C-alpha cells in the first residue's frame, strides 16, 4: 500500500497508508485529514477537496479534465501550479511517499 504524506496548512505532516484504486479524497476522509471537506462526496462539484501536488508527480497523473480545471476556479484557497481536486486523483503506487499539500484559505 502506498503511503501518502499530507502537509497540513498549519505545517504538520500526516502520513497515511492508502489503498490503490481509492481516490485521494476518500483516503483523506478515511484518515480525518484536516482541510479536506469534500462537501460533494467526490463528484467534482464543490472544490472543497483542493490539494496541491508536487510538479514531479503531475505528469504521471495525466492531464486535468476541463471540468476539474473549471472547478478549481471556485476553490477557497488560491489556485497554484499543482492544484488538483483530490476526488479526481486515484491512488496508485506512483503516489507512494508523495507530499500532498493542503492549501490554506
Amino acid at each position: 500500500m502506498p503511503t501518502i504524506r499530507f502537509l497540513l496548512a498549519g505545517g504538520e505532516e500526516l502520513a497515511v497508508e492508502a489503498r490503490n484504486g481509492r481516490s485521494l479524497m476518500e483516503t483523506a476522509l478515511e484518515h480525518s485529514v484536516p482541510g479536506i471537506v469534500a462537501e460533494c462526496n467526490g463528484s467534482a462539484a464543490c472544490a472543497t477537496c483542493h490539494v496541491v501536488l508536487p510538479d514531479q508527480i503531475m505528469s504521471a497523473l495525466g492531464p486535468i479534465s476541463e471540468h476539474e480545471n473549471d472547478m478549481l476556479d471556485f476553490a477557497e484557497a488560491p489556485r497554484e501550479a499543482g492544484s488538483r481536486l483530490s476526488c479526481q486523483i486515484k491512488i496508485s503506487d506512483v503516489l507512494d511517499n508523495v507530499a500532498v499539500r493542503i492549501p490554506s484559505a
Side-chain angles (χ1 to χ4, degrees):
M1 291 201 314
T3 297
I4 307 296
R5 296 178 313 133
F6 289 98
L7 307 177
L8 307 179
E12 306 87 5
E13 180 176 313
L14 177 61
V16 302
E17 287 190 350
R19 293 189 318 228
N20 285 330
R22 303 281 287 163
S23 74
L24 189 56
M25 178 211 72
E26 290 170 320
T27 300
L29 292 177
E30 288 168 359
H31 295 280
S32 302
V33 174
I36 300 296
V37 179
E39 289 176 356
C40 72
N41 291 317
S43 62
C46 69
T48 60
C49 67
H50 177 204
V51 295
V52 180
L53 300 168
D55 290 339
Q56 69 267 23
I57 202 67
M58 293 297 283
S59 60
L61 296 177
I64 188 171
S65 73
E66 185 176 332
H67 177 72
E68 180 182 358
N69 190 45
D70 290 343
M71 285 308 302
L72 282 166
D73 290 336
F74 298 101
E76 187 175 331
R79 186 179 186 150
E80 304 176 38
S83 283
R84 294 290 304 261
L85 297 180
S86 62
C87 65
Q88 300 302 296
I89 307 297
K90 291 294 181 195
I91 299 293
S92 70
D93 289 338
V94 78
L95 293 174
D96 189 33
N97 206 34
V98 164
V100 176
R101 187 166 51 82
I102 311 298
S104 15

